[in-house]
Amino acid sequence: MGTVEPQVAADAQAAVTDGFQLVIDALKLNGIDTIYGLPGIPITDLTRRAQAEGLRVLAFRHEQNAGYAASIAGFLTQKPGICLTVSAPGFLNGLNALAHATTNCFPMILISGSSEREIVDLQQGDYEEMDQLAIARPLAKAAFRVLHAEDIGVGVARAIRAALSGRPGGVYLDLPAKLFAQSLDAAAGRRSLIKVVDPAPKQIPAPDAVQRALALLKGATRPLIVLGKGAAYAQADAEIRALVERTGIPYLPMSMAKGLLPDTHEQCASAARSFVLPAADVVMLVGARLNWLLSHGKGKTWGGKGHKDWGGQKFIQVDISPQEADSNVRIDAPVVGDIGSCIAAMLAGLGNLPKPPADWLTAIHDKKTANVARMAETLAKNPSPMNFHSALAVVRDVVRSNPDAMFVNEGANALDFTRSIVDMYKPRKRIDVGTWGVMGVGMGYCVAAAVVTRQQVIAVEGDSAFGFSGMEVETLCRYNLPVCVVILNNNGVYKGTDVNPRGGDVAPTVFVKDARYEKLMEAFGGVGVYATTPAELRKGMEDALRSRKPTLINAMIDETAGTESGRITSLNPSAKKK
Ligand code: ADP
Ligand code: TZD
């Protein structure tokens, strides 16, 4: 498609508008300023014209990464992240991220161009023919198609409202090719647009639900608060901090809730997780689901006898979704509403709640102290070759000195060790594999984190994890983003030591040994660093943060380090048999 820029200016004054223009106008009217996408038929001109109209259009090398960027932009901003793709294959590439957004409760809109409806529906073999709406629907919170230019305003408004209201999620918006060229009287076009009013209305909890929860807390002798990424998303940081500090209840942050209060906070029980979960008598979940990441609220993790047995805890669950309670175990006090309103209501009703009994706090404190001391010993070692711990001791220091930096993390061991070793100090700094434990979010997240927050970004990546989005280092360089990628390179998936007993091909978990990932970054003008010692890693990271140049540090670590599947070996059927 040829460039249409002169046309843009002409149309601005003209009495007619078209589908392209109305999509852009509808997004702008609703405060959307960034599109993450990949051009091609039929949306190439949409990307050009959006850019000409002042939207930031970030083009990726693969739609999946654009989609992950959009999803995390939604999490960070409470505005739906927009991913724009071409039809069929581009749409399918973006679909993974759409499902990811829905699963993780991130607001996102996947907008895909699609082929001619008449041909698609008769299955006559159109260019990139696919019934995209039907395919997206089960993976999205909502899915819409717009056939007429005068309905674009409604379509965009419905997509925004669906993505943001209640439990946020991924929304699909199907825009057939024909739509873009349709023209419409400009005044009628303007009238057809909708500026969404109050897209995520406050949901005030019922007073009796709040009372029920407070009564449970009052009767608790070993209370615990679990903060999830819903709490981070809600941006109710002051209320959450006030509740934790006024009640004096120990809290456990889930991975992406780390930093909501600093991980170094005296009430943080992360370093005593395996002690507090089974020992607690009343657990208040705030924006966290009792899914696999919390062992479904039962079993040995929670002090149950067998793997499906209830541990005896009473649960309070603060969540915007009324359907979430009882999904795994009985919830004694569901508090349904948005977290800001729920926590504010609880604070208002708190009265003079006594602090938790001293023996509970002392027991946690002692466990923490012992575990932290043990970890400090491990971190102080300086083995050769470098291992996860000696490398992450460096990362921990650098993050402590740069608490505003965004932090992206994926891998198996590279994820689990990092989560427990690297403290977060501020809300919504840590973004990672989320509810699915998915590999591939890395570079997409880096782009969005840099663009949305304008802060430095540090990414700690397993070598396998990095590979899923590695080509986007070109994107980092193209937009000159201040991203420092650290690959903890142990030559394979989990580790690099598997051997094929029959000889021939290497084992499925093994990669090229000593792969020089840093050269990938150099190929596009960024800085590559090959680091074999903690000192080299530290220098590489500090230089990257100082220069703000896209940097990739290939941190070579012991290929025997790590365990199969990291900390979730128990979920791995073959490992279980062993
Ligand atoms: P984690 O993985 O950190 O444990 P989950 O993704 O399992 O967190 O849970 C997040 C929960 O937060 C979801 O159940 C979702 O409905 C809820 N949630 C998201 N946003 C809000 C909000 N603004 N107010 C209340 N609950 C929210
Ligand atoms: N594919 C996708 C999309 N997500 C996944 N989670 C996996 C495959 C399976 N998988 C994991 O769960 S972790 C992982 C894979 C392939 C990579 C682990 O290796 P790594 O990290 O190099 O990234 P460590 O530090 O060596 O464990």
Side-chain angles (χ1 to χ4, degrees):
M1 282 194 189
T3 178
V4 289
E5 271 174 73
Q7 189 64 34
V8 178
D11 277 358
Q13 282 118 45
V16 287
T17 187
D18 63 13
F20 283 117
Q21 190 62 41
L22 287 166
V23 173
I24 295 163
D25 290 346
L27 293 174
K28 280 177 77 172
L29 182 65
N30 284 290
I32 285 163
D33 53 14
T34 308
I35 292 174
Y36 304 88
L38 202 160
I41 295 172
I43 51 105
T44 312
D45 275 349
L46 184 58
T47 60
R48 289 199 188 101
R49 286 175 58 171
Q51 191 171 52
E53 292 271 327
L55 283 159
R56 186 136 197 224
V57 181
L58 295 150
F60 286 71
R61 306 300 296 260
H62 190 292
E63 292 87 350
Q64 179 171 300
N65 306 316
Y68 285 140
S71 75
I72 207 66
F75 168 76
L76 292 171
T77 62
Q78 296 185 326
K79 274 194 231 165
I82 307 291
C83 175
L84 180 63
T85 80
V86 303
S87 19
F91 156 79
L92 286 174
N93 285 345
L95 201 54
N96 204 329
L98 181 73
H100 169 79
T102 305
T103 300
N104 283 275
C105 316
F106 298 160
M108 165 185 171
I109 304 174
L110 174 67
I111 302 179
S112 295
S114 58
S115 304
E116 295 308 327
R117 288 259 33 97
E118 293 81 351
I119 306 180
V120 172
D121 288 347
L122 280 170
Q123 299 184 10
Q124 293 175 307
D126 200 5
Y127 167 71
E128 298 194 344
E129 175 177 299
M130 177 172 274
D131 186 359
Q132 296 168 196
L133 185 66
I135 289 165
R137 188 156 272 143
L139 301 174
K141 187 180 167 195
F144 306 103
R145 177 186 290 137
V146 181
L147 290 177
H148 303 290
E150 60 264 36
D151 293 329
I152 287 172
V154 173
V156 170
R158 297 213 72 189
I160 291 173
R161 210 173 263 291
L164 287 176
S165 59
R167 172 183 277 178
V171 175
Y172 177 60
L173 187 61
D174 194 77
L175 302 183
K178 259 191 190 168
L179 178 77
F180 296 114
Q182 287 174 14
S183 55
L184 192 70
D185 172 69
R190 270 194 300 279
R191 280 197 303 276
S192 72
L193 299 182
I194 296 175
K195 184 171 166 57
V196 179
V197 176
D198 198 11
K202 271 194 182 164
Q203 287 184 224
I204 312 290
D208 59 330
V210 174
Q211 283 316 314
R212 200 183 294 123
L214 287 172
L216 251 189
L217 274 189
K218 280 185 185 138
T221 57
R222 295 182 309 282
L224 176 70
I225 294 173
V226 176
L227 301 174
K229 61 177 158 340
Y233 173 77
Q235 298 194 17
D237 308 338
E239 289 89 340
I240 287 170
R241 188 175 191 128
L243 184 84
V244 168
E245 291 184 342
R246 272 184 57 194
T247 59
I249 297 174
Y251 73 94
L252 206 56
M254 299 299 287
S255 196
M256 281 174 56
K258 276 165 71 77
L260 222 38
L261 290 89
D263 283 339
T264 47
H265 195 284
E266 60 168 349
Q267 285 168 254
C268 180
S270 290
R273 188 180 198 270
S274 56
F275 170 70
V276 290
L277 289 182
D281 65 344
V282 173
V283 178
M284 178 157 112
L285 304 159
V286 183
R289 287 170 286 187
L290 283 177
N291 56 16
W292 69 280
L293 286 158
L294 281 167
S295 306
H296 305 281
K298 57 193 169 191
K300 297 211 165 117
T301 308
W302 293 87
K305 282 205 189 72
H307 83 285
K308 284 202 158 180
D309 292 336
W310 177 50
Q313 288 82 3
K314 300 229 176 235
F315 286 100
I316 300 165
Q317 185 158 32
V318 180
D319 204 290
I320 201 151
S321 165
Q323 281 174 294
E324 185 53 40
D326 304 328
S327 57
N328 284 275
V329 294
R330 180 176 62 224
I331 300 297
D332 301 275
V335 182
V336 175
D338 70 278
I339 284 167
S341 302
C342 292
I343 302 298
M346 292 188 79
L347 280 168
L350 211 52
N352 51 353
L353 188 78
K355 293 269 143 114
D359 61 344
W360 174 233
L361 301 182
T362 310
I364 296 172
H365 178 264
D366 292 351
K367 272 277 173 248
K368 261 176 74 171
T369 314
N371 288 343
V372 168
R374 201 171 325 130
M375 179 59 94
E377 234 171 72
T378 313
L379 292 177
K381 288 183 189 147
N382 189 5
S384 180
M386 187 153 63
N387 64 10
F388 285 104
H389 291 87
S390 59
L392 288 170
V394 171
V395 176
R396 178 198 53 178
D397 292 351
V398 173
V399 170
R400 190 197 292 130
S401 310
N402 296 277
D404 286 314
M406 290 297 300
F407 193 83
V408 175
N409 189 200
E410 63 176 338
N413 297 281
L415 178 90
D416 293 334
F417 285 126
T418 307
R419 187 178 48 237
S420 57
I421 293 170
V422 178
D423 289 328
M424 294 288 119
Y425 301 88
K426 298 196 175 180
R428 290 170 298 285
K429 293 298 180 189
R430 190 188 152 85
I431 49 181
D432 66 25
V433 299
T435 302
W436 268 343
V438 65
M439 299 298 111
V441 293
M443 297 306 106
Y445 274 21
C446 285
V447 172
V451 164
V452 163
T453 69
R454 299 181 181 277
Q455 300 286 346
Q456 312 261 14
V457 181
I458 297 169
V460 171
E461 302 268 317
D463 50 328
S464 165
F466 171 75
F468 288 77
S469 65
M471 194 63 206
E472 302 296 345
V473 297
E474 189 274 330
T475 311
L476 299 179
C477 291
R478 185 164 16 108
Y479 297 114
N480 193 26
L481 299 172
V483 175
C484 172
V485 181
V486 176
I487 297 181
L488 299 179
N489 185 358
N490 60 357
N491 295 339
V493 176
Y494 312 130
K495 41 189 179 173
T497 49
D498 268 4
V499 174
N500 176 357
R502 297 173 68 99
D505 292 342
V506 296
T509 54
V510 169
F511 295 154
V512 167
K513 306 260 182 199
D514 199 24
R516 301 301 294 263
Y517 292 103
E518 77 281 8
K519 293 190 187 295
L520 195 57
M521 184 62 101
E522 287 170 357
F524 304 107
V527 177
V529 177
Y530 182 72
T532 57
T533 64
E536 287 165 358
L537 173 58
R538 189 181 302 272
K539 179 167 186 312
M541 291 187 78
E542 286 173 353
D543 287 350
L545 289 164
R546 202 174 307 117
S547 71
R548 296 181 70 93
K549 284 192 188 134
T551 300
L552 193 155
I553 304 173
N554 185 8
M556 299 305 302
I557 61 169
D558 187 351
E559 68 171 5
T560 66
T563 56
E564 176 131 343
S565 307
R567 221 164 271 175
I568 51 174
T569 308
S570 62
L571 300 179
N572 190 354
S574 81
K576 220 187 246 173
K577 256 186 265 151
K578 278 185 223 150

